[in-house]
Each structure stands twice: as structure tokens, then as C-alpha cells.
Amino acid sequence: MNNKQVAGIDVSKATLDAALSSTGEVMQFTNDAGGIEELGKKLKSAAVDLVVMEATGGYETAVATALVGSGWRVAVVNPRQIRDFAKATGRLAKNDRIDAQVIAAFGQAIEPEIVRLPDEDARELEALLVRRRQLVAMRVQEVNRLGLVQGAMRKRIKAHIDWLEKEIDKLNIDLTAGLRNSPAWRAKDELLRSFKGVGPITSSTLVIDLPELGLLDRRAIAALVGLAPFNRDSGVMRGRRSIYGGRSHVRTLLYMAATTAIRSNPVIRAFYERLKSRGKPHKVAMVACMRKMLTILNAMVRQSTPWTPETNPV
């Protein structure tokens, strides 16, 4: 039995219902500055190790930010995870007090992902990265449309694609400049880019959207990105293992980086060729290369050691 003290918070627009895992005690606070301050005092007196709450469309932002800023370990989880946990444990009754107790029990039974509060530089760079992803997606859509139209509309779509490419180039410059302005981030960026196959956009994405890199073990970081294979077995049926979930945009960039690494990185190239010689399909070999790259990058950041083929054999 896990002995950590967990507080589960059911968040609404007006109130915060907090339950302690050790006693089941439920307390209610107002969802404003005064109520959040009182909640923090109660969490301190109860020696809480972890605070868990559901994502509620933004009502949780103020309390989560305040608690993380005060040093609490906070997890904001998908409501579906809580519902599935409640069903699995037979907790079918529902009201704010019971919901808080279920959330506390979930946090005690399952180690959820902890919120890390980004600084101003991180938020600005994250906004640039999000905008770049949006523009790249628009470019793909427009290129697909280009093959379906003729005449004057084709000229307009080409002009839009040209504009998108220029805007993406500008964002690439802004992202690189942003990383260069922060000594800590610059060091991490240079470390990641020492790995042949990792370029500026992949590095920026890992720095901004995967701050856990170097802090988790190889299995946990693979699961976080969605590169941990899951069995698809039921009874006597045995299905092919597959990957899903995780941070899909990070996974997409890693796929592109792995494609480059197979050509330019001797370790990844040899690893890919060995898998292919064993009869592995291209997609399976690519996922394995992505996972190996992530494992190496995770170790590099944890040990603050640049990549070399000699210290990272196949």
C-alpha cells in the first residue's frame, strides 16, 4: 500500500473540494485567491506529498499555478482517467465530495504526470512552436489541395503556400534566437544537436515540449512520448504490439529526425540495417530507431554528455 499523502481536488468555477487520501476528510474552499491560500495552508498542515485535480476547461488554472509556484507537486489529469478509475474500483456514486475522494484515491494508486510551471521564456517559445505546427499543418493541407484544382484557384493556393513557407522560416529563426538567449537552454540545445540527426526544430521541440527529458528513466520517457509498445492480447489471441498516446507532435518530430539519422548517424543506421536484415518491416524498424534515439538523448541530457559513437554503440 502506498503511504504517500495525496490530496484530490474537485474543481468547479466557484469552489474547490479537497479530500485527503489518508483520512477521507473533505474540505471546501472558494476558488479564488483567498480560498487557494487557505487550501495551501491545509495542505501544509496535512503534510501532503501530491495534489491531483482534473482538467476542467480552465477553472483549475489558477489553483494549479499557485500550488506549483509554491513548491507543491501537482498533477492535472484527464477527467476520463478519473472516470475509468472510478468504474474499475466500483465507485459509481457521484457528487463533489465523492469526486474529490476518488481523485485522491487515483493519485495514491497511480503516479500521474507532474505539472512543471514554465517561465516566461518557455511560454513565449512554446507559443512560437505551437504556431509553427499550425502553419506546417496548413501547408500540408494546401499542398494536398493543389493537386485537386486547376485554373486561377491553383495560382492562389501556390501564393498561399509561398506565404506559409516564408512565415515558417521566420518562426524557425525566432525559435533559434529564443533558445540562444537563454544560457541554460542554449547548453541543452547544443547538447541535443551534437547527436547527428537532431536539427534545430527537433531540438527546440524537445527542449520546450519535453522538459522531462533527462529526468525520467528510459521506459518512462518512452511511454511519455508514446513510443512504448503495448500488447494487443486477449485470451488466446495474440496481436501485434503497437504504440499510441503520448505527445504526438514530439513523436512526429522524432520520426523525421530518425529518418535523417538513418542516413547520417552511424549508430542509428547500423541499428536500422540490423533490424531490416532480421525481416522487420520498415515502420517497426523506424519506431525502434526513434525509441533508441530518445533513450540516447535522455541519457545525454541526464549526464550532460555530448553524443559520440564510441560511447553510444549499437
Side-chain angles (χ1 to χ4, degrees):
M1 181 67 179
N2 196 327
N3 293 323
K4 67 184 177 185
Q5 174 76 299
V6 178
I9 302 180
D10 183 73
V11 181
S12 69
K13 183 177 181 179
T15 60
L16 304 167
D17 289 275
L20 299 177
S21 61
S22 59
T23 63
E25 177 188 3
V26 181
M27 303 149 286
Q28 190 173 82
F29 307 87
T30 55
N31 191 0
D32 55 25
I36 292 171
E37 184 178 355
E38 289 300 315
L39 170 64
K41 292 177 181 178
K42 183 60 182 180
L43 297 177
K44 185 175 182 180
S45 66
V48 167
D49 299 301
L50 172 67
V51 181
V52 183
M53 63 189 74
E54 290 181 329
T56 56
Y59 294 141
E60 79 288 352
T61 301
V63 62
T65 301
L67 292 177
V68 173
S70 297
W72 299 102
R73 297 174 66 240
V74 177
V76 180
V77 300
N78 189 317
R80 186 179 63 184
Q81 291 179 274
I82 303 297
R83 289 197 299 272
D84 291 345
F85 176 79
K87 290 177 183 177
T89 54
R91 304 166 189 251
L92 303 181
K94 184 172 175 61
N95 59 46
D96 291 346
R97 294 175 62 85
I98 293 174
D99 286 349
Q101 292 171 334
V102 171
I103 295 169
F106 172 88
Q108 190 173 50
I110 298 170
E111 184 67 36
E113 182 181 344
I114 304 302
V115 171
R116 286 175 174 81
L117 188 65
D119 57 24
E120 287 299 323
D121 288 341
R123 279 193 285 267
E124 184 175 346
L125 285 171
E126 184 177 20
L128 289 172
L129 200 58
V130 168
R131 183 56 179 161
R132 184 186 184 278
R133 286 200 297 269
Q134 292 170 345
L135 294 181
V136 169
M138 289 182 201
R139 183 176 61 185
V140 170
Q141 292 170 348
E142 290 291 69
V143 168
N144 290 338
R145 291 187 187 104
L146 194 61
L148 302 175
V149 298
Q150 298 294 330
M153 189 57 66
R154 184 177 179 85
K155 185 176 181 180
R156 290 187 178 185
I157 292 176
K158 281 186 174 180
H160 190 211
I161 292 172
D162 289 342
W163 180 86
L164 288 169
E165 289 178 344
K166 290 177 182 176
E167 288 298 304
I168 291 168
D169 287 342
K170 290 178 184 176
L171 286 170
N172 290 345
I173 293 170
D174 290 344
L175 279 166
T176 302
L179 287 174
R180 293 292 168 190
N181 286 336
S182 168
W185 288 27
R186 182 167 65 244
K188 192 172 183 180
D189 174 56
E190 291 173 352
L191 192 67
L192 291 170
R193 290 177 64 178
S194 71
F195 187 95
K196 289 186 177 180
V198 173
I201 299 303
T202 300
S203 177
S204 300
T205 300
L206 292 174
V207 170
I208 297 165
D209 284 348
L210 196 63
E212 300 87 353
L213 192 68
L215 302 177
L216 303 177
D217 63 34
R218 60 187 179 86
R219 292 183 178 85
I221 199 71
L224 192 61
V225 176
L227 286 174
F230 293 90
N231 291 333
R232 306 176 81 179
D233 301 339
S234 178
V236 296
M237 187 190 80
R238 294 292 178 268
R240 179 178 294 176
R241 300 181 87 195
S242 62
I243 60 171
Y244 59 87
R247 299 179 187 174
S248 59
H249 53 282
V250 175
R251 194 164 59 247
T252 298
L253 265 295
L254 278 175
Y255 182 91
M256 296 169 64
T259 301
T260 301
I262 288 169
R263 297 193 300 267
S264 62
N265 188 302
V267 170
I268 301 302
R269 182 172 62 246
F271 183 62
Y272 175 81
E273 291 173 351
R274 190 176 71 188
L275 291 172
K276 291 292 290 180
S277 70
R278 294 177 177 176
K280 298 293 184 182
H282 170 73
K283 186 175 181 180
V284 173
M286 284 297 297
V287 170
C289 288
M290 292 160 63
R291 191 161 53 243
K292 185 173 184 66
M293 282 181 62
L294 185 62
T295 298
I296 293 173
L297 294 171
N298 192 55
M300 285 167 51
V301 174
R302 183 174 61 246
Q303 299 164 10
S304 297
T305 304
W307 180 86
T308 60
E310 293 76 18
T311 56
N312 295 277
V314 181

